[in-house]
Coordinates of all heavy atoms in Angstrom, one line a residue:
L1277 N -30.7 47.6 -32.8 CA -31.2 46.4 -32.2 C -30.9 46.2 -30.7 O -31.2 45.2 -30.1 CB -30.7 45.2 -33.0 CG -31.1 45.0 -34.5 CD1 -30.3 43.9 -35.2 CD2 -32.6 44.8 -34.6
V1295 N -31.7 33.2 -29.8 CA -33.0 33.2 -30.5 C -32.9 34.0 -31.8 O -31.9 34.7 -32.0 CB -34.1 33.8 -29.6 CG1 -34.3 32.9 -28.3 CG2 -33.8 35.2 -29.2
T1296 N -33.9 33.8 -32.6 CA -33.9 34.6 -33.9 C -35.1 35.5 -33.9 O -36.1 35.2 -33.3 CB -33.9 33.7 -35.1 OG1 -35.0 32.8 -35.1 CG2 -32.6 32.8 -35.1
H1297 N -35.0 36.6 -34.7 CA -36.1 37.5 -34.8 C -36.1 38.1 -36.2 O -35.1 38.5 -36.7 CB -36.0 38.6 -33.8 CG -37.2 39.4 -33.6 ND1 -37.6 40.4 -34.4 CD2 -38.2 39.3 -32.6 CE1 -38.8 40.9 -34.0 NE2 -39.1 40.3 -32.9
P1298 N -37.3 38.1 -36.9 CA -37.3 38.7 -38.2 C -37.2 40.2 -38.2 O -37.9 40.9 -37.4 CB -38.6 38.2 -38.8 CG -39.5 38.0 -37.6 CD -38.6 37.6 -36.5
V1299 N -36.4 40.8 -39.0 CA -36.3 42.3 -39.2 C -36.3 42.6 -40.6 O -36.1 41.8 -41.5 CB -35.0 42.8 -38.5 CG1 -34.9 42.4 -37.0 CG2 -33.8 42.3 -39.2
D1300 N -36.6 43.9 -40.9 CA -36.8 44.4 -42.2 C -35.5 44.8 -42.9 O -34.5 45.0 -42.2 CB -37.7 45.7 -42.2 CG -39.0 45.5 -41.5 OD1 -39.4 44.3 -41.4 OD2 -39.6 46.5 -41.1
I1301 N -35.5 44.8 -44.2 CA -34.3 45.3 -44.9 C -34.9 46.2 -46.0 O -35.9 46.0 -46.6 CB -33.5 44.2 -45.5 CG1 -32.2 44.7 -46.2 CG2 -34.3 43.3 -46.4 CD1 -31.3 43.7 -46.7
S1400 N -38.9 52.0 -37.2 CA -38.8 50.7 -36.6 C -38.3 49.7 -37.6 O -38.6 49.7 -38.7 CB -40.1 50.2 -36.0 OG -40.1 48.9 -35.6
V1401 N -37.4 48.8 -37.1 CA -36.8 47.8 -38.0 C -37.7 46.6 -38.2 O -37.3 45.7 -38.9 CB -35.4 47.4 -37.4 CG1 -35.5 46.5 -36.2 CG2 -34.5 46.8 -38.5
T1402 N -38.9 46.6 -37.6 CA -39.7 45.5 -37.7 C -41.2 45.8 -38.1 O -42.0 45.0 -38.1 CB -39.8 44.8 -36.3 OG1 -40.4 45.6 -35.3 CG2 -38.5 44.3 -35.9
D1403 N -41.4 47.1 -38.5 CA -42.8 47.5 -38.9 C -43.2 47.4 -40.3 O -44.3 47.6 -40.7 CB -43.1 48.9 -38.3 CG -42.2 49.9 -39.0 OD1 -41.4 49.6 -39.8 OD2 -42.4 51.1 -38.6
G1404 N -42.2 47.1 -41.2 CA -42.5 47.0 -42.6 C -42.7 48.3 -43.3 O -43.2 48.3 -44.4
E1488 N -38.6 45.4 -47.5 CA -39.0 44.0 -47.5 C -39.2 43.6 -46.0 O -38.2 43.4 -45.3 CB -38.0 43.1 -48.2 CG -38.1 43.3 -49.7 CD -37.4 42.2 -50.5 OE1 -37.0 41.2 -49.9 OE2 -37.2 42.4 -51.7
R1489 N -40.4 43.4 -45.6 CA -40.7 43.1 -44.2 C -40.2 41.7 -43.8 O -40.5 40.7 -44.4 CB -42.2 43.3 -43.9 CG -42.5 43.1 -42.5 CD -44.0 43.6 -42.2 NE -44.2 43.7 -40.8 CZ -45.3 44.3 -40.3 NH1 -46.2 44.8 -41.1 NH2 -45.5 44.4 -39.0
G1490 N -39.5 41.7 -42.7 CA -39.0 40.4 -42.1 C -38.1 39.6 -43.0 O -38.1 38.4 -42.8
A1491 N -37.4 40.2 -43.9 CA -36.6 39.4 -44.9 C -35.3 38.9 -44.3 O -34.7 38.1 -44.8 CB -36.4 40.3 -46.1
L1492 N -34.9 39.5 -43.1 CA -33.7 39.1 -42.5 C -34.0 38.3 -41.2 O -34.9 38.8 -40.4 CB -32.8 40.2 -42.1 CG -32.0 40.9 -43.3 CD1 -31.3 42.1 -42.7 CD2 -31.1 40.0 -43.9
T1493 N -33.4 37.2 -40.9 CA -33.5 36.5 -39.7 C -32.3 36.8 -38.8 O -31.2 36.2 -39.1 CB -33.6 35.0 -40.0 OG1 -34.8 34.7 -40.8 CG2 -33.9 34.2 -38.7
I1494 N -32.5 37.6 -37.8 CA -31.3 38.1 -37.0 C -31.2 37.3 -35.7 O -32.3 37.0 -35.1 CB -31.5 39.6 -36.7 CG1 -31.5 40.4 -38.0 CG2 -30.4 40.1 -35.7 CD1 -30.1 40.4 -38.7
V1495 N -30.0 37.0 -35.3 CA -29.8 36.3 -34.1 C -29.7 37.3 -32.9 O -29.0 38.3 -33.1 CB -28.5 35.5 -34.1 CG1 -28.1 34.9 -32.8 CG2 -28.6 34.3 -35.2
L1496 N -30.4 37.0 -31.8 CA -30.4 37.8 -30.6 C -30.0 37.0 -29.4 O -30.3 35.7 -29.4 CB -31.8 38.4 -30.4 CG -32.4 39.3 -31.5 CD1 -33.8 39.7 -31.1 CD2 -31.5 40.5 -31.8
T1502 N -37.2 42.5 -27.1 CA -37.6 42.9 -28.5 C -38.7 43.9 -28.5 O -39.1 44.3 -29.6 CB -38.0 41.6 -29.3 OG1 -39.1 41.0 -28.7 CG2 -36.8 40.6 -29.4
L1505 N -38.0 47.2 -30.4 CA -37.6 47.1 -31.8 C -38.7 47.6 -32.7 O -38.4 47.9 -33.9 CB -37.2 45.6 -32.2 CG -36.1 45.0 -31.4 CD1 -35.8 43.6 -31.9 CD2 -34.8 45.9 -31.4

Side-chain angles (χ1 to χ4, degrees):
L1277 294 171
V1295 297
T1296 59
H1297 196 279
V1299 302
D1300 306 338
I1301 183 174
S1400 168
V1401 75
T1402 61
D1403 62 0
E1488 288 194 9
R1489 185 167 193 168
L1492 286 176
T1493 303
I1494 296 292
V1495 171
L1496 303 174
T1502 61
L1505 303 184

